[in-house]
Amino acid sequence: MKSGDRRRLLVSSAAAALSATAVGLGAATAAAPLRAALGGGLGDSPARSDLSRWPRELWITRPEAQESVRAVYWADGALQPEGCRAIDRIYRDLRAGVERPISTGLLNLNYVMQCAVAQCWSARPMVLLSGFRTPQTNRQVGGVEPSVHFTGKADDYIYAGLSFQDNLRLAWLFRVGGLGVYPDRGSLHKDVGRARIWVQHGRAASSGPDPGLRLGAGR
């Protein structure tokens, strides 16, 4: 099997195994569906480990702030305050200097996607372009209101080193709530709000179940 085909198979299998509870508050674990899909690639078999206690670490960089963090936000069956604070900090509204707790559902979604990236390509950080926003900042950047960025349930991001098409395939397979595609910026939006999809070129946006997305071969 070719490397590209293997990657697509692994990501597709992982996405198929991802359930809604994997990114919900109080979910048993985000590692379980990915572990099942990848044949135990994340450690011991489910029969020999308590998956709800499996540590979950996120690796995030924020170029605009020249910051990077690797933080364990979940371990021993509970959220880890120190790790959560580090993630809340890097997700802060940089213009307003304000931070708020980031949704556990979004953290779990990021964790599952990060595991898929590490398995199918190599371990690398998520490049965070926008996280929590105050209403004032949202207006300044031309965001839609009300925005899920207000509640810490959304981010704009990209995985550096992956083509935009591979980033888009990954986002499409793991979509849970909103998926926004910004080809001109080379970035994506994801959230754990209501399900919706849109593509924006400049200031013009189209939306719908599949608003002109092209997920075939390409860069």
Side-chain angles (χ1 to χ4, degrees):
M1 181 181 293
K2 294 181 180 179
S3 175
D5 293 337
R6 180 176 179 274
R7 288 174 179 172
R8 282 190 287 274
L9 176 61
L10 287 172
V11 174
S12 298
S13 298
L18 178 64
S19 66
T21 57
V23 295
L25 292 173
T29 182
L34 192 61
R35 183 201 302 274
L38 300 180
L42 295 179
D44 294 338
S45 67
R48 290 185 291 140
S49 64
D50 181 354
L51 295 178
S52 69
R53 305 180 72 82
W54 192 266
R56 306 175 202 169
E57 180 185 63
L58 291 180
W59 184 10
I60 303 168
T61 63
R62 189 85 185 262
E64 188 178 357
Q66 296 185 320
E67 294 176 4
S68 180
V69 66
R70 295 188 76 150
V72 175
Y73 71 92
W74 178 278
D76 298 324
L79 290 169
Q80 301 299 298
E82 184 176 351
C84 288
R85 283 194 296 270
I87 294 170
D88 294 344
R89 175 67 179 168
I90 203 167
Y91 262 81
R92 71 191 182 279
D93 182 326
L94 295 178
R95 294 187 182 213
V98 176
E99 61 186 74
R100 64 149 292 148
I102 300 304
S103 161
T104 306
L106 182 61
L107 301 185
N108 284 341
L109 176 58
N110 283 336
Y111 174 67
V112 174
M113 292 178 69
Q114 185 171 279
C115 288
V117 169
Q119 288 286 338
C120 299
W121 289 276
S122 62
R124 65 195 68 205
M126 181 187 79
V127 180
L128 179 64
L129 304 173
S130 180
F132 166 67
R133 290 181 198 158
T134 60
Q136 180 180 4
T137 293
N138 194 62
R139 287 191 293 271
Q140 290 172 349
V141 300
V144 175
E145 295 191 16
S147 170
V148 280
H149 283 278
F150 297 170
T151 55
K153 294 182 178 180
D155 57 38
D156 295 350
Y157 74 100
I158 203 74
Y159 278 98
L162 272 61
S163 69
F164 188 73
Q165 279 299 115
D166 280 340
N167 269 284
L168 180 53
R169 290 188 187 100
L170 189 75
W172 178 260
L173 289 167
F174 284 94
R175 67 193 185 280
V176 172
L179 167 59
V181 183
Y182 303 103
D184 296 346
R185 306 178 198 170
S187 65
L188 299 166
H189 165 105
K190 68 175 178 298
D191 65 58
V192 290
R194 62 183 177 83
R196 64 215 187 282
I197 304 167
W198 68 95
V199 178
Q200 183 165 328
H201 294 276
R203 293 186 176 275
S206 58
S207 61
D210 183 0
L213 294 181
R214 297 292 180 264
L215 300 175
R219 296 184 61 186

